[in-house]
């Protein structure tokens, strides 16, 4: 098609004006930022509380803050550290403890009643009996289990609120915070990050993550490991939330085809057998996500539904 020189001039002018309008419009909608935003993430990792911790954040200081806080709590709460407060309390049966230790024991006792006894930190002697502490796995005699069960039950923990003293009612009682300490450490680390005005950070602590804020305006995306397989089966989008997974695929032993896992049903004294291969609990609280994922593993799918109705801030995903 041929244009006259005049029409061609109009057409060019029209195109240039259109292009200029588009340019001005997009400039007004997305003005350039000075200095230009560099979307850089810092990543660092460390082994703490017996697992691999990885911290990702646009803030360089984040990882150091998370590791320092987790390490401080590990020194108080780990049963594997001989002079931790938990080790000393387990040995003496009565101890004046720090506010952190007192708080988490009290919270654990509350979560024990909230889960109908499924989450119970006094399972420690049973965890030992089945060989999960020293990794010398064995199937105990029924009589041994019955004897140890007399020393299990969070109602046998006395909390002296006025002076932070924790006391066991029965000699030989012990506590194990393996099902809650990681979640509590995540909450404490996030508090420290917020105090330093850090608003964006993803902490991955083995089977549990906490996503603080977002990643450059988008939710943090977290891969979920499939039960019993080393493959990734799903992805979660999290924002100011924690996701904790409990399963029988990480710490267990097999005798024949029978699988004995490290989560013990406090009601029977035997490893939990509720037909769940893995459960992920999502909550705004790392402490609660951790304890509830352990509890759901003990309770099974049906009772988990009742729990989810009672605590409507929990999201529970089960793989059978
Ligand atoms: P992980 O350690 O893989 O994060 P969990 O959060 O489910 O898994 O915690 C399991 C740990 O909790 C066990 O290793 C043991 O120390 C402790 N534990 C086992 N059974 C119970 C229970 N019924 N209630 C509370 N803690 C438990
Ligand atoms: Mg747990």
């Amino acid at each position: 098609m041929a244009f006259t020189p005049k029409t061609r001039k109009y057409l060019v002018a029209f195109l240039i004006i259109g292009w200029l309008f588009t340019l001005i419009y997009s400039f007004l909608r997305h003005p350039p930022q000075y200095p230009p935003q560099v979307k850089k993430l810092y990543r660092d990792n460390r082994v703490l509380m017996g697992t691999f911790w990885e911290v990702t954040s646009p803030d360089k200081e984040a990882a150091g803050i998370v590791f320092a806080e987790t390490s401080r709590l590990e020194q108080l709460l780990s049963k594997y550290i001989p002079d931790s407060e938990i080790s000393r309390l387990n040995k003496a049966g009565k101890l004046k403890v720090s506010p952190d230790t007192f708080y988490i024991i009290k919270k654990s006792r509350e979560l024990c009643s909230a889960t109908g006894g499924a989450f119970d930190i006094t399972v420690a002697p049973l965890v030992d009996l089945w060989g999960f502490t020293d990794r010398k796995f064995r199937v105990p005699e029924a009589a041994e289990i019955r004897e140890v069960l007399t020393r299990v039950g969070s109602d046998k923990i006395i909390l002296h609120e006025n002076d932070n003293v924790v006391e066991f009612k029965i000699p030989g009682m012990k506590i194990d915070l393996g099902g809650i300490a990681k979640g509590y450490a995540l909450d404490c680390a996030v508090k420290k990050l917020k105090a330093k005005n850090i608003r964006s950070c993803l902490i991955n602590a083995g089977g549990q993550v906490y996503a603080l804020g977002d990643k450059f305006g988008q939710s943090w995306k977290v891969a979920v490991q499939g039960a019993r397989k080393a493959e990734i089966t799903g992805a979660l989008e999290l924002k100011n939330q924690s996701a904790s997974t409990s399963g029988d695929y990480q710490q267990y032993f097999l005798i024949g085809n029978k699988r004995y896992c490290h989560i013990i049903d406090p009601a029977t004294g035997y490893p939990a057998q509720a037909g769940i291969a893995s459960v992920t609990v999502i909550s705004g609280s790392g402490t609660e996500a951790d304890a509830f994922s352990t509890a759901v593993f003990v309770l099974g799918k049906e009772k988990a539904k009742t729990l989810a109705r009672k605590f409507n801030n929990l999201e529970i995903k089960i793989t059978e």
Side-chain angles (χ1 to χ4, degrees):
M1 193 159 67
F3 292 112
T4 62
K6 203 174 167 193
T7 320
R8 212 178 298 155
K9 234 186 261 168
Y10 276 125
L11 207 64
V12 169
F14 180 74
L15 283 175
I16 290 173
I17 289 166
W19 176 71
L20 274 175
F21 264 117
T22 319
L23 209 68
I24 291 165
Y25 178 73
S26 73
F27 180 87
L28 290 176
R29 278 201 64 185
H30 308 285
Q33 286 174 343
Y34 293 103
Q37 235 187 9
V38 183
K39 293 185 174 179
K40 185 174 166 49
L41 286 173
Y42 294 91
R43 202 168 270 134
D44 200 358
N45 55 62
R46 191 155 308 174
V47 172
L48 288 160
M49 295 189 166
T51 196
F52 191 76
W53 286 62
E54 186 179 63
V55 177
T56 308
S57 171
D59 199 302
K60 214 172 161 183
E61 312 293 317
I65 293 168
V66 172
F67 298 151
E69 181 64 354
T70 307
S71 169
R72 180 184 75 80
L73 291 165
E74 185 179 18
Q75 295 305 314
L76 295 175
L77 307 178
S78 171
K79 66 170 182 176
Y80 295 102
I81 298 175
D83 63 351
S84 73
E85 289 190 338
I86 294 305
S87 295
R88 286 189 286 136
L89 169 63
N90 282 344
K91 221 164 140 197
K94 184 174 180 178
L95 190 76
K96 181 176 167 65
V97 295
S98 61
D100 279 300
T101 306
F102 195 84
Y103 169 83
I104 197 64
I105 295 174
K106 190 176 170 190
K107 181 81 186 170
S108 296
R109 218 174 53 161
E110 286 165 17
L111 289 167
C112 182
S113 8
T115 58
F119 178 82
D120 192 335
I121 56 172
T122 65
V123 291
L126 289 165
V127 176
D128 292 350
L129 183 68
W130 284 87
F132 286 106
T133 307
D134 58 10
R135 313 203 125 261
K136 288 182 186 148
F137 308 122
R138 59 185 283 258
V139 179
E141 298 292 330
E144 286 177 280
I145 293 173
R146 271 201 302 278
E147 185 281 317
V148 172
L149 274 172
T150 62
R151 290 181 268 132
V152 173
S154 281
D155 54 322
K156 302 181 191 93
I157 302 174
I158 306 166
L159 296 173
H160 301 274
E161 300 267 357
N162 52 335
D163 54 0
N164 277 8
V165 169
V166 182
E167 187 181 355
F168 299 147
K169 271 190 193 165
I170 296 177
M173 275 179 71
K174 277 181 171 189
I175 57 172
D176 179 338
L177 299 174
I180 197 166
K182 213 159 55 179
Y184 179 58
L186 284 169
D187 287 339
C188 293
V190 165
K191 226 186 244 176
K192 292 276 176 204
L193 291 173
K194 285 181 178 164
K196 294 267 171 155
N197 229 2
I198 296 172
R199 304 280 151 181
S200 168
C201 184
L202 181 72
I203 313 170
N204 194 336
Q208 187 169 2
V209 298
Y210 193 103
L212 169 64
D214 54 38
K215 177 186 166 188
F216 307 121
Q218 310 253 302
S219 297
W220 290 97
K221 288 177 191 63
V222 182
V224 185
Q225 193 188 311
R228 300 196 188 170
K229 290 177 231 113
E231 67 189 32
I232 306 301
T233 55
L236 296 174
E237 292 200 10
L238 305 173
K239 204 170 175 180
N240 297 319
Q241 282 165 310
S242 183
S244 165
T245 302
S246 288
D248 66 1
Y249 55 94
Q250 268 178 332
Q251 283 197 57
Y252 65 92
F253 65 96
L254 287 169
I255 293 184
N257 274 337
K258 199 154 170 58
R259 188 182 277 259
Y260 298 94
C261 73
H262 69 143
I263 297 175
I264 311 281
D265 183 346
T268 62
Y270 285 78
Q273 286 178 322
I276 291 180
S278 132
V279 52
T280 298
V281 175
I282 302 165
S283 162
S285 152
T287 308
E288 292 186 7
D290 197 0
F292 279 118
S293 71
T294 309
V296 168
F297 193 82
V298 170
L299 290 171
K301 201 173 177 177
E302 285 312 308
K303 287 183 183 155
K305 282 184 191 158
T306 320
L307 207 66
R309 274 195 294 271
K310 206 161 106 190
F311 298 88
N312 53 15
N313 53 342
L314 294 180
E315 203 181 313
I316 303 174
K317 293 170 190 284
I318 293 174
T319 310
E320 289 170 291

